[in-house]
Amino acid sequence: MKRTKIKDALNATAPMDEILIKGWVRSKRDNKGFSFVALNDGSCLATIQAIVDHTPEIEEALSRIGTGASVGIVGELVESPGKGQKWEIRGKKLEVIGEADQETFPLQKKRHSDEFLRSIAHLRPRTNKYGAMFRMRSALAQAVHKYFSEKDFFYIHTPIITGSDCEGAGEMFRVTSLEAGSQLPPEEDFFGQPSQLTVSGQLSAEMFSLSLGDVYTFGPTFRAENSNTPRHVAEFWMIEPEIVFSDLSDDMDLGEDMIKYLVAHMLDNCAEDVELFAKWVDKGLMPTLQTILDKPFERVPYTEAIEILKKTKKKFEYPVEWGMDLQTEHERFLCEEKFKKPVYVYDYPKTIKPFYMRMNDDNTTVAAMDCLVPRIGELIGGSQREERMDVLVARMDEMGLNKDDYWWYLDSRKYGTAPHAGFGMGFERMLMLVTGVSNIRDVMPFPRTPKSLDF
């Protein structure tokens, strides 16, 4: 008999004479002559209740199951007389698929802390919160692809192993086939040169945008940054579109449209799971998401943003000066207290931005932008790219970059250059936005952080 998912059973429009449900036991309650067994199979937030009469075979099976065990139940789908549920199963057969040791099974009916659940990340999807989280992660990833497909973007798979440092920060994981302690030069390594895990697929995506038009890449990126903040991990996923014959304003339009689309998609398609987070994680989640949908994003030049921050009476941990990179406390003040909605800050000082960002006419700032959202701060970072060969070369010289390492990148400015722009959106930060979760470790199946490589 084919298994019916609990989600489909609960959405049935009529009773069924015989149905097979398989899942994990959330609870078991024995009465005289029968037992209640609540099952969840991960397909939705809800459990389905099965009532099984005691027969010798069923009693033997019941004696072997407890919370966490996997079972299969065959029975009738009937209307439930209980409140809060439309359907239940009148069980006729009970099969024990996998027992769970009740003395050591770590998930109990009580609420567990997020810190404890991170220590058992392989089991936390069994909880309501994390089952909802990872269903939403799946739905959000699919929505990203759906958005770009509807916009006629091409999906590009960019390299994970690279020989170039897109950001110029140097915080990259090295990739080598040489044995530990080897004194051989990089020329003897697998690729014949130093290689790293990528921090961004942007440079590769740029090449394809100058051939195919609008493209995007969506994949894992890595940063060897020894940071233990709630917003940083060593391995994370980035959404990086590139749009051609476009400028910074077009780039900001795309980012705003995409965020609104993804929020609407999650509210429409994951309503039950979103409601769980709105009730138990962030009471202000629904108003925040509704504001994103209803109001246009603010757009403020960096210089004006600095003046706003200087004039406020709020005391910041990091003093505000022109030329500094905004800290999370500054970003959150702008979008949560000053404008009370998402904010684009644009035209940053060139001294704090990478070489590829387009120089403005003032020769001091570049056409860069960050999109700041409540509770998180920076969600998107992007720019118009420098399409002018002479200006790009001058910037690379200014920053001490070896142009030989970027010969292919410079070719794109040599052969049919064109204005183009793009951005990077942290996928996990977008998931934090739509769930209200404050720690990035809690929106990732198996987070990678300094000194932590479990699971």
Side-chain angles (χ1 to χ4, degrees), residues 4 38 49 58-59 93 105 213 235 292 311 376 442 444:
T4 298
Q49 177 176 271
I58 285 180
E59 283 192 289
K93 298 178 182 178
F105 186 63
E235 177 184 336
I292 289 172
K311 290 178 181 177
I376 295 167
D442 297 328
M444 306 188 76

Side-chain angles (χ1 to χ4, degrees), residues 26-243:
R26 285 291 179 85
S27 66
K28 181 187 73 168
R29 181 160 53 91
D30 297 321
N31 283 26
K32 188 174 182 179
F34 64 93
S35 293
F36 295 101
V37 180
L39 290 186
N40 180 271
D41 65 358
S43 63
C44 63
L45 182 63
T47 59
I48 194 166
Q49 177 176 271
I51 302 173
V52 290
D53 292 328
H54 291 172
T55 65
E57 295 81 6
I58 285 180
E59 283 192 289
E60 188 278 333
L62 285 169
S63 70
R64 296 164 50 207
I65 67 171
T67 302
S70 59
V71 303
I73 297 177
V74 175
E76 298 176 79
L77 184 70
V78 299
E79 291 188 24
S80 175
K83 292 184 178 180
Q85 55 188 17
K86 183 179 180 181
W87 303 105
E88 64 184 24
I89 303 291
R90 295 287 180 179
K92 298 177 182 178
K93 298 178 182 178
L94 173 62
E95 175 192 6
V96 181
I97 299 172
E99 297 182 30
D101 187 336
Q102 295 303 288
E103 292 186 5
T104 59
F105 186 63
L107 296 174
Q108 303 301 323
K109 285 186 177 181
K110 66 178 183 179
R111 293 186 67 186
H112 297 287
S113 69
D114 290 327
E115 290 77 8
F116 169 73
L117 292 173
R118 284 178 212 138
S119 72
I120 53 168
H122 58 306
L123 293 175
R124 64 179 177 171
R126 300 267 192 103
T127 66
N128 284 340
K129 177 180 178 179
Y130 287 97
M133 170 62 70
F134 296 117
R135 281 190 297 272
M136 289 182 66
R137 185 179 176 110
S138 174
L140 185 63
Q142 293 176 53
V144 169
H145 291 299
K146 186 171 185 285
Y147 174 79
F148 286 119
S149 177
E150 292 175 0
K151 294 283 186 180
D152 292 327
F153 277 66
F154 293 107
Y155 178 32
I156 307 301
H157 293 141
T158 53
I160 290 176
I161 300 175
T162 180
S164 60
D165 181 358
C166 177
E167 300 297 327
E171 297 165 336
M172 302 178 75
F173 289 101
R174 308 305 170 191
V175 176
T176 180
S177 63
L178 300 178
E179 293 185 5
S182 172
Q183 300 300 312
L184 292 173
E187 291 76 15
E188 298 298 323
D189 208 342
F190 187 89
F191 292 106
Q193 67 180 78
S195 55
Q196 305 89 20
L197 295 179
T198 185
V199 299
S200 170
Q202 175 207 311
L203 302 187
S204 300
E206 277 190 63
M207 301 304 97
F208 274 77
S209 72
L210 293 169
S211 298
L212 300 182
D214 297 341
V215 301
Y216 74 104
T217 181
F218 178 18
T221 51
F222 309 85
R223 186 160 295 177
E225 183 178 9
N226 190 16
S227 176
N228 282 290
T229 77
R231 301 194 313 153
H232 295 92
V233 284
E235 177 184 336
F236 51 99
W237 283 65
M238 288 285 285
I239 307 158
E240 297 179 285
E242 287 289 326
I243 49 177

Side-chain angles (χ1 to χ4, degrees), residues 2 6 140 239 282 290 312 337 403 416:
K2 185 177 180 181
I6 288 174
L140 185 63
I239 307 158
D282 180 6
Q290 202 58 52
T312 182
E337 299 183 44
K403 292 188 289 296

